[in-house]
Amino acid sequence: MRSLDDDHAGARIKEQRKLAHLTQRELAARIPYSYSLLNQVECGARPATGAFVDAVAAALGVCSTVLTGSSHVTGIQQARVSALVRPIREALDLFDLDEPHMSQPCRPVTDLATAADEVCQDVRATHLRKAAKALPPLIRDLTLIVRTRPSKEAWQALASAYRTAHDVALKVGYRDLSTVALDRMGWAAERASDPYLAAIRQYKRALGHKTSGHELGRRLVQAGHDILDGENSREALAVAGQLHLGASAVAARAGDTAAVARHIAAARELAERVGGEAREVHWLSFGQMNVALHELGAAITLRQFDMALKQVRRISLPPSTLTSRRARFLVDRAVVEMETGHTDRALQHLIQARRAAPEQTRYHPGTRDAITGLLHTARRTSDTLNHMAAWIGL
């Protein structure tokens, strides 16, 4: 098995630090980690966790993929993902062309709107490759229609397709492309005059600002609430609740426990008003379970692992839970179990997450954090753990 140098992330950090004309101590002063840890990561003695990489990337003003490679995967895996993502990037670049070239007549807008919903559903079911292959022709057809026969339904469907492109790019580690997709989503949502899609975009933008982006993230969430001002429909309540959950994640990254508690409480109250799970609202699935999962996520971010352990063992996902959410929960649970010394349970949860959603689990940064933690704490690694490490590219 390869050495645990995080695919040379430490060497990349050192290179980018020098390009920024910073010493190790100067960079350490800009991140919420010690000089000693930074030194160990750069020399390869310690792995760079996802949170550490995000903090350094924010401090250096670069995309995290510059420090890690696109997805923490092997060269062959990375090449496959790059080939899958490239057509999506090309489709996103059609937005300002007056007459996109089409070899065949495009589908009716009603069919395209249905297709946009289906590809979003594929992502929630963690069929990432299927969604990635369907997106480019869908975006091309919708781009042609909004340029030649614009309608509210067409613009909404295009905004939805862009949102799904963002989700796919983010899940496979292409953060730069996910940002481009969100910009396109805002462009389409504005032309659709759809306040809910516009507010969801602000929620996703806020989540994209890791570590040092607390104030910017807070402002983006507030911008989302401003868009919904005066709206009282079930749809508006669900989107407002999701914005509060986004704000809780932003506050957790900043270590603001009071703000976390405040936003979780506000989201819980809105979930009660919504009643049940609002899956019909742009696939947000906002409800009490979503609130509980975000509360758990905030505890993990705050490194309150004893509290997180109590929370994670109280959560019982219903059979109807979306596959993407179930897999993420299992990875979060693995991280919590690993951090609290329950290594066997942690590995079992990772195995379950892989069975449920192999593509999503492989690229999830929490998977890498949990496996590297298990490797560093184990006196003797099992064949299963070694296999899992090789599977994610360690």
Side-chain angles (χ1 to χ4, degrees), residues 14 47 62 110 155 168 215 268 330 340 345 369 384 387:
K14 182 178 181 179
V62 300
T110 51
W155 282 112
V168 170
E215 177 58 23
R268 185 167 284 121
L330 289 167
T340 52
R345 288 186 178 182
D369 291 348
T384 301
H387 180 70

Side-chain angles (χ1 to χ4, degrees), residues 94 96-102 144 147-148:
L94 295 173
D96 59 351
L97 301 182
D98 290 336
E99 296 182 2
H101 174 72
M102 302 294 297
L144 177 61
R147 288 298 188 186
T148 58

